[in-house]
């Protein structure tokens, strides 16, 4: 009998210890699982913030798109980014906390270009490997092993 069946039987029979154990396991799962996913999410956010640089094209969580012109730290210790949006007379600078960052288009483009280069290199390596294998296969065949394919003239001589 597995643990879940024993707990259910214990809870049905009125055994308070089994009922307490069942609730403790449920509460433990509900508290522990979100902590792990939250840690992973915070790690990704921190990596994104560390990679942010002046000149990056970004989008804020409010949908404002612009270019980072300055990164600074407020006296409270909070990281701030100054972005520039618009063109010509409509050009404007705004200051946001670093947590307002949603997407870093510059880093995304660089990552896509890097992945494309790696894919091209893998394909080139595969093509050269296939070419080398074909050349080796051709070198292994000796002229003695090649059968002469009869031509029409040779067939005519054989038939006479």
């Amino acid at each position: 009998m597995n643990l879940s069946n024993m707990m259910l039987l214990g809870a049905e029979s009125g055994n308070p210890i089994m009922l307490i154990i069942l609730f403790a396991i449920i509460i433990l799962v509900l508290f522990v699982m979100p902590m792990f996913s939250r840690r992973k999410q915070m790690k990704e956010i921190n990596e994104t913030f560390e990679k942010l640089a002046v000149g990056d094209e970004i989008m804020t969580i409010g949908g404002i798109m612009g270019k980072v012109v300055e990164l600074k730290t407020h006296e409270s210790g909070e990281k701030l980014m100054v972005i520039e949006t618009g063109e010509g007379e409509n050009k404007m600078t705004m200051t946001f906390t670093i947590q307002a960052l949603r997407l870093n288009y510059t880093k995304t483009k660089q990552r896509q270009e890097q992945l494309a280069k790696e894919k091209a290199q893998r394909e080139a390596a595969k093509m050269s490997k296939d070419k080398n294998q074909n050349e080796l296969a051709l070198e292994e065949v000796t002229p003695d092993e090649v059968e002469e394919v009869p031509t029409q003239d040779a067939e005519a001589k054989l038939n006479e």
Side-chain angles (χ1 to χ4, degrees), residues 3 6-7 11 15-29:
L3 182 62
M6 290 188 333
M7 285 186 202
N15 187 352
I17 294 173
M18 293 303 270
L19 189 59
I20 292 171
I21 292 173
L22 178 64
F23 281 122
I25 290 173
I26 291 172
I27 290 172
L28 182 69
V29 167

Side-chain angles (χ1 to χ4, degrees), residues 90-108:
N90 295 329
K91 194 173 270 190
M92 181 182 296
T93 58
M94 298 180 218
T95 303
F96 293 96
T97 63
I98 213 86
Q99 283 79 15
L101 177 65
R102 179 176 179 196
L103 288 173
N104 186 338
Y105 288 113
T106 305
K107 300 299 182 206
T108 304

Side-chain angles (χ1 to χ4, degrees), residues 1-2 7 22 31 35 45 54 58 68 82 129 138 141 150:
M1 198 180 267
N2 62 22
M7 285 186 202
L22 178 64
F31 280 112
M35 285 191 318
I45 289 170
V54 173
I58 60 144
V68 177
V82 179
K129 182 180 176 183
L138 289 175
V141 177

Side-chain angles (χ1 to χ4, degrees), residues 57-106:
E57 296 178 13
I58 60 144
M59 177 189 283
T60 66
I61 56 174
I64 298 171
M65 297 176 68
K67 184 179 276 191
V68 177
V69 292
E70 184 181 355
L71 293 170
K72 58 185 178 180
T73 304
H74 190 263
E75 57 193 38
S76 65
E78 192 158 9
K79 295 179 182 177
L80 301 173
M81 62 181 171
V82 179
I83 66 168
E84 189 175 78
T85 62
E87 293 180 5
E89 293 180 14
N90 295 329
K91 194 173 270 190
M92 181 182 296
T93 58
M94 298 180 218
T95 303
F96 293 96
T97 63
I98 213 86
Q99 283 79 15
L101 177 65
R102 179 176 179 196
L103 288 173
N104 186 338
Y105 288 113
T106 305

Side-chain angles (χ1 to χ4, degrees), residues 143-151 154:
D144 296 335
E145 296 173 345
V146 177
E147 283 186 28
E148 191 173 313
V149 178
T151 60

